[in-house]
Amino acid sequence: MARPQLLIDTDPGVDDALAILMAHAHADIAGLGIAAGNVGLAHTVRNARTLVDLLGATIPVFGGCPSPLVRMPEEDAAFVHGTDGFGDVGFPAPVAPVADEAAALALLRLTRERPGELTLVALAPLTNLALALRLDPTLPQRVKRLVVMGGAVTGHGNTGKIPAEFNIGFDPEAAHVVFEGFPEFDLVDWEATLRHAFDDAEFDQWLAAGDKRADFFGKIFGTARAYNASHDRHGVVAADALAMAVAIDPAIVTRSERRHVAVELDGRLTRGATVVDWAGRLGRPANANVVLELDRERFAALIRGALGAS
């Protein structure tokens, strides 16, 4: 069977790293567009290059927008991922280059060169995608699928704005542009991530059985793992990995619902919240396939393969 062809927008980030390891193991990667999000753009670009070095790959890395479209963010996620986004391990300077092309422009170029071929996997705040859409609103016509990791579909978010999830909350205007601009996309939200956490002991077995990729991930995961354990997040929570599983293997989804999803831009307590029209009261067409459940064994197998533990 042909390997999926992926174009990834990401802000590495510990769980981004696992998702990219999965993509390299099970798909072909046309490029990595890099956004600010978990930490600042200088760190996320460096981390993407470090991953490319680890994999010995020739994946192009495209630096993106260093800030949200309109307002500066109220918080990043360094307290989860470490100041550098990779657990403050202190890796040497990467060798892999940064392409001399902005991420939004690369996204448009690659989809023009390969119309209908690329699944776009959005693991970061949606700033780069929104910029690309504003430059060329026909972008959705050239993308095979769009898979978004973001949102909290019943308001159980993970930011200071309680109903909001981090990626959407970091740049709500960008999410609004993307959700309005794409007539359909798969949405893998934060709440689904929590439902599909892995048992710690099981995950440790995979790390012990893996190769250099598992060693690398075990090092960078320490800070995030300690944070989760101290904040009542049980098991190994891997948000971007869940979205990547859906991108790699669409049949892994066992339950989903098509609904209209919008983004709250103005609420004092709810800015960045994803608002799902569960009852169809607005009369708007469904734009999101909200992923609710997926095959856990197939998800686990994709991660084991990414760590060299299969």
Side-chain angles (χ1 to χ4, degrees):
M1 192 169 85
R3 285 163 65 91
Q5 304 296 303
L6 307 180
L7 179 55
I8 303 170
D9 199 76
T10 177
D11 59 336
V14 174
D15 55 332
D16 301 75
L18 182 56
I20 292 166
L21 294 178
M22 291 168 64
H24 184 259
H26 305 291
D28 295 330
I29 305 173
L32 297 173
I34 310 302
N38 286 320
V39 288
L41 187 68
H43 287 306
T44 56
V45 168
R46 178 187 172 113
N47 293 345
R49 296 169 61 208
T50 296
L51 278 168
V52 172
D53 283 352
L54 171 72
L55 295 169
T58 55
I59 303 165
V61 175
F62 305 99
C65 193
S67 64
L69 292 181
V70 179
R71 302 187 196 177
M72 291 304 293
E74 296 181 11
E75 59 183 347
D76 64 13
F79 57 93
V80 178
H81 296 266
T83 303
D84 69 354
F86 267 7
D88 297 319
V89 173
F91 294 107
V95 175
V98 181
D100 187 20
E101 184 178 19
L105 298 178
L107 194 160
L108 294 176
R109 176 180 59 81
L110 288 166
T111 57
R112 287 173 184 146
E113 292 173 356
R114 302 176 62 181
E117 292 183 20
L118 297 173
T119 293
L120 181 54
V121 191
L123 306 177
L126 294 168
T127 315
N128 291 334
L129 273 67
L131 287 171
L133 264 173
R134 284 297 192 239
L135 290 168
D136 183 357
T138 68
L139 169 64
Q141 300 170 22
R142 300 192 303 276
V143 173
K144 183 176 181 179
R145 294 171 61 216
L146 169 63
V147 179
V148 174
M149 190 284 127
V153 298
T154 65
H156 292 75
N158 61 347
T159 71
K161 295 288 190 292
I162 293 170
E165 173 274 334
F166 179 82
N167 281 347
I168 306 302
F170 189 90
D171 193 346
E173 282 77 16
H176 169 75
V177 169
V178 172
F179 286 15
E180 291 283 311
F182 274 80
E184 58 181 305
F185 54 91
D186 292 324
L187 185 67
V188 182
D189 84 313
W190 172 247
E191 296 167 31
T193 296
L194 296 177
R195 290 195 299 274
H196 293 84
F198 292 107
D199 177 77
D200 281 288
E202 181 182 30
F203 198 86
D204 284 336
Q205 290 176 357
W206 302 344
L207 290 177
D211 56 23
K212 66 178 183 179
R213 295 167 292 177
D215 293 339
F216 175 89
F217 188 74
K219 290 176 182 176
I220 67 172
F221 191 35
T223 300
R225 200 167 194 180
Y227 177 87
N228 289 339
S230 66
H231 287 76
D232 201 30
R233 293 180 185 172
H234 302 291
V236 174
V237 179
D240 293 331
L242 192 73
M244 185 58 72
V246 173
I248 292 169
D249 181 10
I252 204 170
V253 178
T254 58
R255 187 166 71 93
S256 63
E257 295 191 21
R258 304 190 68 83
R259 294 289 187 272
H260 181 77
V261 181
V263 181
E264 173 59 50
L265 301 179
D266 302 312
R268 181 173 63 87
L269 299 177
T270 58
R271 175 171 157 79
T274 38
V275 182
V276 183
D277 186 9
W278 291 110
R281 295 175 182 172
L282 299 179
R284 300 285 303 278
N287 57 347
N289 182 46
V290 180
V291 173
L292 297 172
E293 300 292 340
L294 52 75
D295 187 317
R296 288 174 175 272
E297 288 305 312
R298 287 165 73 167
F299 182 27
L302 289 173
I303 289 184
R304 288 196 301 270
L307 298 172
S310 57

